[in-house]
Every structure is written in structure tokens, then in C-alpha cells.
Amino acid sequence: MPQEPLISFIVTTYNLPKELLLKCLRSIMSLSLTPSEREIVIIDDGSEHSLIDELEELRGQVVYIWNRNQGLSAARNTGLSMVHGQYIQFVDGDDYLLKHQYEHVIELLKKYSPDMVMFSLTHHEEYQSTFHDSDIVTGASYMKNHNLHSSACGYVFRRSSLGDLRFTLNIYHEDEEFTPLLLLCVNTLIKTTAQAYYYRLTPHSITRDSNPAKQKKRLDDTRNILERLTNITDRLPFMDKTSLQRRIAQLTMDYIYQTMVITHDLDQVEERILDLKDLGLFPLPDKNYTSKYAWFRRLSYYKMGRIILFNLLRTQGK
């Protein structure tokens, strides 16, 4: 019976230059994992030109799947349906892993066998000589006591923890929904300061796209994620519920902030505030999660405070 790989790397790509994808794949293959300890599955989300011929040198070392264009969520879900590793790591094809730092992540997996190791993303190639690792906690405990950076590329997780959880199709910011729900399924988590993942800053990313229709979809998708997460809390035990409520409050704060920044329209801000009230998400919960959260909650509570906040953000954006 073939050995189960330690880590399955799901690499998603769409219309990327060959050089970027090869840099990503070589960063994975340069790790200390033996060929039997790793599995690399490339999901091409409908690129105009398939790169399969360009990857001839890697034949036998990677699996390449070309799908019709359906978006990142569908591509990742396809990858999840194919892999066999004990752990799963998502990697965007224009990013790559930083060898020394990711080796520390592998060491933690082999030494402690946690359900998840969470690490940091960076856009600097700086070498780290030392790392600080947390005690082992549950995913719910971590989310209850920390702000969450939700990128699905910022952690490696045990495949069996996933259950039937998958990414919601055809939405922006799918990680904002997927990651907190995954954390509720994680019994053992280690957070390390290792900056193990290099993400490339691109001018055409979703968050930088100024197209009005796409900006509206960004906000609408976040609003709908908030509603779905809120509906789930009613079915959770107390610890999981309080953990997810913190994440919802953090995401709601960011949603209000992004509405101000993206729309530059105070009337739209007030319309979305009224909608949040209907969902039971506004006013923001009176919690001291962080000083930034407490400050934002107090200022956004009254309409005059929202006007001050709106004008402050507009001034900073000029």
C-alpha cells in the first residue's frame, strides 16, 4: 500500500507566466520532504493557455489539472477532492514558500502532530534565525483570544479535520468564511512566528480593483458571509459560539470600515448600518477585544461619530 504523503500542496493558478509558477513549485520541491512525503496538485482555473507542456521537466512530480474558469473557490475545492496527504497546504501560484521558515513548520508537524500550524505571510524575503511557538490550543480557543488573519494560505491543516467543509463558490473573500469554520474543527493548533509564506503584491488584486461593480460585490459578499456565520452560531456550543462571535465582530468592523473607504458615500454607509441592525450585528458588541476595536466601536455607535470617522478616513485617503 503506497505511503500517505505528509503534506499535499494545492497550487492554484490562472493566466500566470511560466516563470512565476515554476518559482512557486521549486520552492515546494526544495523543502526537505522526500517525494513520498509530498504531493503537489496544480489546479489551473481555466487559463487561456495551458502550461502543461511548460512543466514537462516536472513530469511525475506534480499533478496538473485544467478546469474551466470558475474562480478560486472551485479550484481549491477541486484540489481538496483529489489530495491524499495527512496535511493540506494551499499555495497561490504567484506566491511561494520560504525554505528556512517553512522547514520549521514541517518540524512542528513531525514533532507534535497538531491539527494545524499557523504561520505568518510576508512580502519580504528576510531570513529568520529564531522562532517563537505558542502552546498547543484548540482552534476555538485561539479564535476566542486573538484577532484572525483569515488567509487560507497562512496555515497547514490536517485533512481529516476538514470533514465536509468546502469553500463557497462565486464569492470574494471566501477565506473569511472558510477559515473560522475550519478552526472550530481543529483540536490542536500551534501558532508560530515563522514568516513562511511569501505573497506577491499585485496591482490587479481584488482588494485594489476600483471597478464599481466588483467593489459592490466585495461588500455584498462580505455582508452575506456575516449573515451565514451568524446563523451558524445559534447551533454551536458555548465555547465555539463565543469564539465565532468575536470573529464576526472583527469582520463586521472591517465591513463598516471598507464600506466607508470603498463607497465614499455616507448614505450607503447608513444603509448598510441599518441592514447590520436587522441582522443583529450592530451596534458592535461591547467587548474589549483590542484597543482598536474598542475605539472603533465607540466612535461608530452614534451617527455623529460615524460622520467623524468617515471624514477622517476620506482625509487620510487623499
Side-chain angles (χ1 to χ4, degrees), residues 27-92:
S27 76
I28 298 171
M29 298 173 67
S30 70
L31 299 170
S32 61
L33 298 169
T34 64
S36 64
E37 289 180 312
R38 70 171 185 248
E39 177 183 38
I40 305 174
V41 176
I42 306 166
I43 308 297
D44 188 329
D45 184 36
S47 294
E48 296 173 9
H49 303 287
S50 170
L51 291 177
I52 189 167
D53 293 335
E54 308 289 346
L55 302 176
E56 179 65 28
E57 64 184 89
L58 303 182
R59 181 181 294 273
Q61 301 181 69
V62 301
V63 175
Y64 180 91
I65 303 295
W66 189 95
N67 278 351
R68 65 183 180 86
N69 181 243
Q70 301 177 78
L72 180 60
S73 291
R76 286 177 172 171
N77 287 345
T78 298
L80 289 173
S81 70
M82 298 183 59
V83 295
H84 306 89
Q86 298 175 48
Y87 292 93
I88 293 173
Q89 173 70 62
F90 292 112
V91 188
D92 292 342

Side-chain angles (χ1 to χ4, degrees), residues 46-177:
S47 294
E48 296 173 9
H49 303 287
S50 170
L51 291 177
I52 189 167
D53 293 335
E54 308 289 346
L55 302 176
E56 179 65 28
E57 64 184 89
L58 303 182
R59 181 181 294 273
Q61 301 181 69
V62 301
V63 175
Y64 180 91
I65 303 295
W66 189 95
N67 278 351
R68 65 183 180 86
N69 181 243
Q70 301 177 78
L72 180 60
S73 291
R76 286 177 172 171
N77 287 345
T78 298
L80 289 173
S81 70
M82 298 183 59
V83 295
H84 306 89
Q86 298 175 48
Y87 292 93
I88 293 173
Q89 173 70 62
F90 292 112
V91 188
D92 292 342
D94 53 347
D95 301 333
Y96 53 91
L97 303 179
L98 296 172
K99 179 177 173 61
H100 177 67
Q101 288 91 311
Y102 202 87
E103 291 290 357
H104 180 67
V105 173
I106 294 172
E107 290 173 5
L108 292 174
L109 294 180
K110 291 184 174 181
K111 183 175 182 179
Y112 298 107
S113 297
D115 291 339
M116 178 182 286
V117 174
M118 188 174 288
F119 47 84
S120 297
L121 282 64
T122 180
H123 56 272
H124 300 289
E125 290 191 2
E126 297 176 355
Y127 178 91
Q128 284 180 273
S129 58
T130 58
F131 310 105
H132 299 288
D133 308 321
S134 73
D135 293 331
I136 296 177
V137 297
T138 66
S141 176
Y142 179 85
M143 190 160 55
K144 181 177 183 291
N145 294 290
H146 299 84
N147 279 359
L148 186 63
H149 299 285
S150 62
S151 171
C153 296
Y155 49 80
V156 57
F157 65 96
R158 190 179 296 278
R159 180 165 59 94
S160 60
S161 298
L162 186 69
D164 59 0
L165 178 63
R166 295 296 183 271
F167 291 90
T168 299
L169 300 179
N170 302 316
I171 64 170
Y172 292 148
H173 308 303
E174 56 279 315
D175 295 359
E176 298 286 8
E177 182 176 20

Side-chain angles (χ1 to χ4, degrees), residues 248-265:
I248 291 170
Q250 182 188 356
L251 186 56
T252 303
M253 179 184 75
D254 186 63
Y255 171 67
I256 296 170
Y257 170 86
Q258 290 296 333
T259 300
M260 292 180 176
V261 171
I262 289 174
T263 68
H264 305 291
D265 186 332

Side-chain angles (χ1 to χ4, degrees), residues 169-287:
L169 300 179
N170 302 316
I171 64 170
Y172 292 148
H173 308 303
E174 56 279 315
D175 295 359
E176 298 286 8
E177 182 176 20
F178 179 87
T179 295
L181 295 181
L182 177 61
L183 280 175
L184 295 179
C185 303
V186 168
N187 293 318
T188 52
L189 178 151
I190 299 174
K191 173 67 186 298
T192 177
T193 59
Q195 295 181 329
Y197 186 101
Y198 180 93
Y199 71 94
R200 196 177 302 276
L201 296 173
T202 59
H204 305 297
S205 67
I206 292 171
T207 57
R208 298 184 179 202
D209 196 322
S210 60
N211 180 286
K214 291 183 178 180
Q215 288 182 335
K216 182 179 184 301
K217 178 171 170 53
R218 280 181 57 198
L219 293 174
D220 290 345
D221 286 348
T222 301
R223 181 265 180 212
N224 293 334
I225 289 171
L226 285 167
E227 182 175 20
R228 289 195 294 271
L229 291 178
T230 300
N231 291 337
I232 288 171
T233 59
D234 295 334
R235 308 193 299 268
L236 296 176
F238 179 77
M239 177 64 173
D240 289 356
K241 181 175 183 177
T242 56
S243 299
L244 187 54
Q245 283 174 333
R246 171 173 176 149
R247 179 55 192 159
I248 291 170
Q250 182 188 356
L251 186 56
T252 303
M253 179 184 75
D254 186 63
Y255 171 67
I256 296 170
Y257 170 86
Q258 290 296 333
T259 300
M260 292 180 176
V261 171
I262 289 174
T263 68
H264 305 291
D265 186 332
L266 194 55
D267 288 338
Q268 288 195 48
V269 173
E270 293 304 311
E271 287 178 9
R272 291 187 181 265
I273 290 287
L274 287 174
D275 180 54
L276 289 173
K277 287 181 178 179
D278 290 339
L279 295 175
L281 297 177
F282 192 88
L284 293 170
D286 187 5
K287 303 286 186 179

